[in-house]
Amino acid sequence: NIGKGLVRGMGLRKGALASSIAHDAHNIIVLGVEDRDIARAVIQVNKMGGGLVVVADGEVKEALQLPIGGLMSDRPLEEVSAATKRLNEAAHALGAKVADPFMAMSFLALPVVPKLKLTDRGLVDVERFAFVDLFADREQ
């Protein structure tokens, strides 16, 4: 299943961010501006067996492999911390406005906290316990 939605407030002007940390199901979640970068980001996360990635102009700008269930690294703390800092800096260079874009992204898919969340089955209005069509003028 592939859920699709529109995200407002992230601030990306180009590129894409993808992650295998997407609470609670930990499917790949991706935000992006250009289709080519979105596809490249998802492919890269898949190739790494999980992780975080920033893509722009069809190229991987930064990446952190998370080989343990797509959630954890087997690398030393200092290495992971430095990579996380580079990922956030790369995301900010693409226009991301939030302090930690990957953390914010991970909670977009958590369907137990209000309001509207993105799941692999589609958009969910958490307060009404109902799926919502991406376009308001159509009923689901």
Side-chain angles (χ1 to χ4, degrees), residues 115-132:
K115 301 228 180 222
L116 190 62
K117 298 300 174 175
L118 181 61
T119 73
D120 64 339
R121 295 187 56 212
L123 291 171
V124 176
D125 180 329
V126 177
E127 294 173 338
R128 292 185 320 138
F129 300 104
F131 287 100
V132 177

Side-chain angles (χ1 to χ4, degrees), residues 17 21 25 34 41 56 61 68 108 131:
L17 314 177
I21 302 172
E34 290 117 11
K61 301 298 184 183
I68 304 170
L108 289 175
F131 287 100

Side-chain angles (χ1 to χ4, degrees), residues 45-104:
V45 169
N46 189 43
K47 281 183 179 179
M48 294 188 308
L52 310 172
V53 66
V54 175
V55 172
D57 303 317
E59 295 180 22
V60 175
K61 301 298 184 183
E62 289 294 337
L64 172 60
Q65 185 176 15
L66 299 174
I68 304 170
L71 301 173
M72 295 181 284
S73 176
D74 56 355
R75 307 302 307 152
L77 174 63
E78 297 79 17
E79 213 176 290
V80 174
S81 179
T84 301
K85 183 177 180 185
R86 288 191 307 273
L87 281 157
N88 284 326
E89 288 170 352
H92 291 136
L94 299 180
K97 295 178 182 177
V98 297
D100 189 334
F102 288 95
M103 182 66 75

Side-chain angles (χ1 to χ4, degrees), residues 15-61:
L17 314 177
S19 173
S20 56
I21 302 172
H23 306 296
D24 236 3
H26 299 292
N27 296 312
I28 294 174
I29 187 164
V30 60
L31 297 177
V33 177
E34 290 117 11
D35 291 343
R36 175 180 72 157
D37 292 336
I38 290 168
R40 178 74 176 100
V42 170
I43 289 166
Q44 184 63 33
V45 169
N46 189 43
K47 281 183 179 179
M48 294 188 308
L52 310 172
V53 66
V54 175
V55 172
D57 303 317
E59 295 180 22
V60 175
K61 301 298 184 183

